[in-house]
Amino acid sequence: MNWDEFEFETRAVRAGQERTNEGEHSEPIFPTSSFVFESAAHAAARFSGEEPGNIYSRFTNPTVRTFEQRLAALEQGERCVATASGMAAILSTCMGLLKAGDHIVCSRAVFGTTVVLLNNFMGKFGVETSFVDLTDLQQWEAAIRPNTRLLLLETPSNPLTQIVDIQALAELAHVRDCLLAVDNCFCTPALQQPLALGADIVIHSATKYLDGQGRGVGGAVVGSDTVMEPIYSFLRSAGPTMSPFNAWIFLKGLETLSLRMQAHSAHAMELATWLEQQPQVTRVNFPGLASHPQHDLARRQQSGFGGVLSFELEGGRDAAWRVIDATRICSITANLGDAKTTITHPATTTHGRLSDDEKKQAGITDGLIRVAVGLESVEDLKRDIARGLN
Ligand SMILES: *Cc1c(COP(=O)(O)O)cnc(C)c1O
């Protein structure tokens, strides 16, 4: 089936599914570690690659493949490989594409564990990383060295929702012979398709919006056949593959992705607009607001503004903790991308490892609160946050 001719919503519900002889309507789960062959010659043909097909679930599994094909169709990539987590997706990308002596340029405001992975582990194997401000194209350009192979970023950033021009950065990457990888966790392909803007690789933590209901941990990498082959090769050898059961959960998540992302975006827009009117709130970071410094870029690059916003209170940590502790429905957790709204104090949780100087540089003040707006009634969310504000 060529899914290119169908609209996004149709691909999200149907791409990748091939029925078995049972005529099942929903996607089947194949909880099997290995596969059997009709004869010795058949096994030999599979192992030699002469005949494509399943051998062992560390390599391929039908449920996982359905998820991979569906996500590839949504991101408009030739090939997707599913991984055990978002971090396994980033690790597999680095291990597949880089060698000792190579260099990465990464935006400073990425997921905290990404920084740990690059500095503490990739560094140990001779792959060095330079960190730059996401929005400063000159810093990106200046940081690229002759041995730079990969540019890596998240847009919008967490928790300040800063945005970079993916197309401009893809052009820069290609002039300098590098690959551009975009962690598309915040927007998902429902709102932003980096490959269509020139990026080479899309990385996902499926744990977040792709699932959307906090049921499982998983990840994925999407790109061209050429880029994906060494990444798949690493995954097949090293084994951080997605389980069939998780792949099934994420398939069900993708079916509602478009609707959920529209709702998350609308709810966040409403809450951000309301927060901006509260006298105790000194600043609201949300790409949908006209006050956002890259609002125009966000409108061009994304088809929605997403569900994550942050806001700043005058009273520092005490004020922020008071608002968080006064909530009754928001979940106090560092997770995001869930039907349930989550509320986080970045300075003492997700960004707690940073020194005071690093926090200042990253714009993580003590009075900053991040909200990943869920699917509850926005009126209830306003009341929940207003309780602490008042
Ligand atoms: C959560 C997250 C990750 C890591 O994903 P896991 O599934 O937790 O391993 C990577 N990038 C971003 C932007 C994330 O939010």
Side-chain angles (χ1 to χ4, degrees):
M1 196 85 158
N2 178 17
W3 290 100
D4 292 352
E5 61 185 277
F6 294 97
E7 303 293 334
F8 185 90
E9 288 77 4
T10 308
R11 282 178 267 148
V13 173
R14 294 190 174 270
Q17 186 176 2
E18 292 161 41
R19 287 211 180 96
T20 72
N21 290 333
E22 302 296 337
E24 71 282 359
H25 193 201
S26 176
E27 297 78 357
I29 310 180
F30 286 87
T32 179
S33 54
S34 55
F35 299 83
V36 295
F37 311 102
E38 279 149 33
S39 64
H42 188 214
R46 282 275 171 87
F47 272 81
S48 71
E50 203 178 296
E51 184 199 283
N54 301 304
I55 296 174
Y56 186 54
S57 283
R58 172 153 43 77
F59 309 166
T60 58
N61 172 282
T63 315
V64 177
R65 188 178 56 238
T66 304
F67 168 74
E68 291 171 336
Q69 290 182 347
R70 187 167 298 173
L71 187 58
L74 296 180
E75 288 286 5
Q76 303 187 55
E78 286 174 357
R79 185 168 175 192
C80 167
V81 296
T83 57
S85 67
M87 291 319 302
I90 300 174
L91 173 70
S92 303
T93 302
C94 291
M95 293 300 278
L97 297 174
L98 306 175
K99 60 179 188 312
D102 286 346
H103 175 246
I104 302 170
V105 183
C106 182
S107 57
R108 204 168 267 124
V110 285
F111 188 64
T113 314
T114 303
V115 177
V116 174
L117 177 73
L118 298 178
N119 279 341
N120 300 9
F121 295 97
M122 294 316 294
K124 206 163 73 168
F125 294 99
V127 175
E128 214 185 316
T129 304
S130 304
F131 292 91
V132 297
D133 285 348
L134 175 70
T135 58
D136 188 341
L137 285 176
Q138 278 169 357
Q139 273 193 39
W140 283 95
E141 190 162 11
I144 296 175
R145 305 175 189 166
N147 60 337
T148 307
R149 289 277 295 127
L150 185 68
L151 310 187
L152 174 64
L153 63 88
E154 286 169 24
T155 179
S157 72
N158 178 13
L160 296 182
T161 72
Q162 291 176 321
I163 287 167
V164 73
D165 187 334
I166 295 174
Q167 202 162 3
L169 213 54
E171 278 164 25
L172 172 65
H174 298 152
V175 168
R176 303 290 293 272
D177 216 14
C178 306
L179 296 171
L180 175 64
V182 176
D183 182 331
N184 202 23
C185 183
F186 270 44
C187 275
T188 82
L191 304 183
Q192 172 171 277
Q193 291 165 16
L195 299 178
L197 296 168
D200 303 284
I201 299 156
V202 166
I203 290 171
H204 274 289
S205 166
T207 317
K208 312 294 167 50
Y209 288 109
L210 297 192
D211 173 28
Q213 295 175 63
R215 297 166 294 191
V217 175
V221 189
V222 191
S224 68
D225 285 329
T226 316
V227 167
M228 292 311 298
E229 185 52 38
I231 297 173
Y232 168 68
S233 190
F234 169 76
L235 202 83
R236 175 183 164 126
S237 301
T241 40
M242 181 180 282
S243 81
F245 183 72
N246 282 10
W248 181 81
I249 286 175
F250 299 136
L251 276 166
K252 292 291 137 194
L254 289 181
E255 289 180 4
T256 56
L257 182 67
S258 189
L259 281 174
R260 283 187 289 107
M261 293 314 292
Q262 286 169 36
H264 282 295
S265 298
H267 288 196
M269 185 75 213
E270 200 180 330
L271 193 66
T273 307
W274 175 81
L275 280 166
E276 226 177 20
Q277 292 157 359
Q278 305 311 303
Q280 304 90 336
V281 175
T282 51
R283 191 175 137 187
V284 182
N285 305 303
F286 183 65
L289 295 174
S291 59
H292 189 283
Q294 292 132 331
H295 177 62
D296 290 338
L297 174 59
R299 287 178 62 148
R300 260 200 328 274
Q301 183 161 283
Q302 304 173 198
S303 57
F305 300 113
V308 180
L309 62 84
S310 59
F311 63 98
E312 224 169 277
L313 297 171
E314 217 164 283
R317 197 191 84 165
D318 288 349
W321 279 23
R322 209 177 306 127
V323 167
I324 291 171
D325 289 342
T327 60
R328 286 197 227 134
I329 52 174
C330 295
S331 310
I332 305 172
T333 170
N335 196 26
L336 61 91
D338 202 289
K340 299 183 169 76
T341 297
T342 66
I343 193 161
T344 316
H345 185 238
T348 51
T349 59
T350 52
H351 294 70
R353 261 190 312 261
L354 302 185
S355 69
D356 287 348
D357 255 9
E358 287 171 325
K359 276 184 207 164
K360 193 176 251 176
Q361 204 177 8
I364 311 295
T365 61
D366 285 339
L368 188 75
I369 293 176
R370 188 195 73 190
V371 179
V373 185
L375 303 179
E376 305 96 335
S377 145
V378 186
E379 290 311 314
D380 283 333
L381 294 177
K382 288 181 198 168
R383 280 193 279 271
D384 213 34
I385 291 170
R387 197 174 307 113
L389 289 179
N390 298 332

